[in-house]
Amino acid sequence: MFKFIHFFYHLYTINAVQNKLARSIQFTIKTMKITLIPLLLLSVLGIKSLLEGAYDSPHQVVDTSGNILRVGANYYIIPNPTTKCSIFSKYKGNNGLVLAKVAANKTFPLDVLVVEGQQLGQPLTFTPIHDQKKGAPVRVSTDLNIEFSMQTSCSQSNVWKIDHFDRATRKWFVTTGGVVGHPSWRTISNWVKIEKYDGDDRRVSCPTFCAYCKVQCRDIGVYEDQNGNKRLALTDAPYKVRFQKA
């Protein structure tokens, strides 16, 4: 009889220990869940913060009033007063960029020219590759599209692109007919950058979003053709500019 009671006592003790151990494990799991959830949230927030910090690293471009350039807003691109148009002349007065024909026998697309005189040219907009929503900041060293805001009779768009090599002048000129967005090897000629240079800004053709694309990393400068047109083209001389709110 005593052995029988002793057996049940040991069985009860084992069950009690097992129940206590089970409750302890459940409590530990709950505690781990409670602890891990905030840790996971903190990890996610930390990663998000790091990504945003990396994305925000390029400096923001500012206009002549010191305000940040914004996507969707209109601006004039005006040369720095000391920028040379060519080795023969300098810009005088207010100058800017316009869409125009470079020859009577050429129709479309229109090319990008520098005009001299008492005008600021025609307004443009800037659309970065990563953040295209209206009001987003425009940053240096970032692939972007530039587009004239005015309406024309041309069937092509007013988005800048680098034209095919011109054998007569041995230049790549800036023309229009590009598209906004859609980064790929097909649109590689539509993308430019704004870079800081000697206290001002310059535009360069050096898209970096396409790792396998063969591109030219050169400044966008000014070339004066035989007709006296001052055309934007890929050059070895930086063309320093500023941006004025339209």
Side-chain angles (χ1 to χ4, degrees):
M1 183 66 179
F2 175 78
K3 289 184 178 180
F4 183 78
I5 294 173
H6 188 262
F7 169 78
F8 274 100
Y9 174 77
H10 276 285
L11 184 62
Y12 172 80
T13 303
I14 292 171
N15 288 335
V17 171
Q18 288 177 340
N19 291 335
K20 186 177 181 180
L21 181 60
R23 287 194 298 270
S24 177
I25 292 172
Q26 289 177 353
F27 175 79
T28 303
I29 292 173
K30 288 180 180 180
T31 305
M32 289 177 65
K33 287 182 178 179
I34 294 171
T35 305
L36 284 174
I37 290 173
L39 286 175
L40 288 172
L41 288 174
L42 287 173
S43 299
V44 171
L45 291 174
I47 293 170
K48 183 175 182 292
S49 177
L50 286 173
L51 291 174
E52 289 177 347
Y55 176 74
D56 290 342
S57 57
H59 294 294
Q60 297 166 336
V61 183
V62 297
D63 61 20
T64 52
S65 298
N67 298 317
I68 299 170
L69 263 66
R70 299 287 180 181
V71 175
N74 290 306
Y75 298 91
Y76 296 109
I77 296 179
I78 56 177
N80 180 290
T82 61
T83 299
K84 291 185 178 181
C85 173
S86 67
I87 60 174
F88 304 106
S89 63
K90 288 186 177 181
Y91 294 121
K92 300 176 182 179
N94 293 326
N95 310 281
L97 305 180
V98 298
L99 282 173
K101 298 179 182 179
V102 295
N105 60 349
K106 182 178 180 180
T107 54
F108 304 111
L110 300 174
D111 293 320
V112 183
L113 275 65
V114 178
V115 293
E116 297 180 358
Q118 301 303 314
Q119 58 177 320
L120 296 175
Q122 298 164 348
L124 307 101
T125 60
F126 304 90
T127 306
I129 188 171
H130 294 301
D131 197 350
Q132 301 181 6
K133 64 178 181 292
K134 188 174 181 179
V138 177
R139 301 180 183 277
V140 299
S141 306
T142 301
D143 294 325
L144 53 81
N145 301 125
I146 302 178
E147 180 178 14
F148 281 99
S149 304
M150 63 173 292
Q151 297 293 322
T152 69
S153 59
C154 182
S155 59
Q156 283 92 348
S157 73
N158 293 338
V159 180
W160 289 18
K161 74 173 185 178
I162 307 301
D163 205 355
H164 299 296
F165 181 68
D166 184 86
R167 294 187 179 276
T169 59
R170 304 193 64 79
K171 294 290 182 183
W172 285 269
F173 291 106
V174 178
T175 185
T176 53
V179 296
V180 173
H182 305 286
S184 72
W185 65 269
R186 296 179 183 275
T187 64
I188 195 71
S189 62
N190 302 342
W191 300 89
V192 299
K193 291 180 181 178
I194 298 171
E195 299 286 4
K196 301 301 292 182
Y197 179 79
D198 195 22
D200 291 292
D201 296 300
R202 61 174 178 162
R203 290 144 311 151
V204 299
S205 173
C206 189
T208 52
F209 68 85
C210 183
Y212 59 85
C213 295
K214 185 177 180 180
V215 299
Q216 292 192 82
C217 289
R218 299 182 65 185
D219 287 292
I220 296 178
V222 179
Y223 173 82
E224 187 171 352
D225 65 19
Q226 61 183 2
N227 298 318
N229 297 311
K230 297 174 176 62
R231 306 170 62 180
L232 291 193
L234 299 187
T235 67
D236 296 321
Y239 174 50
K240 297 192 295 183
V241 296
R242 297 173 182 174
F243 305 96
Q244 182 171 320
K245 186 74 180 292

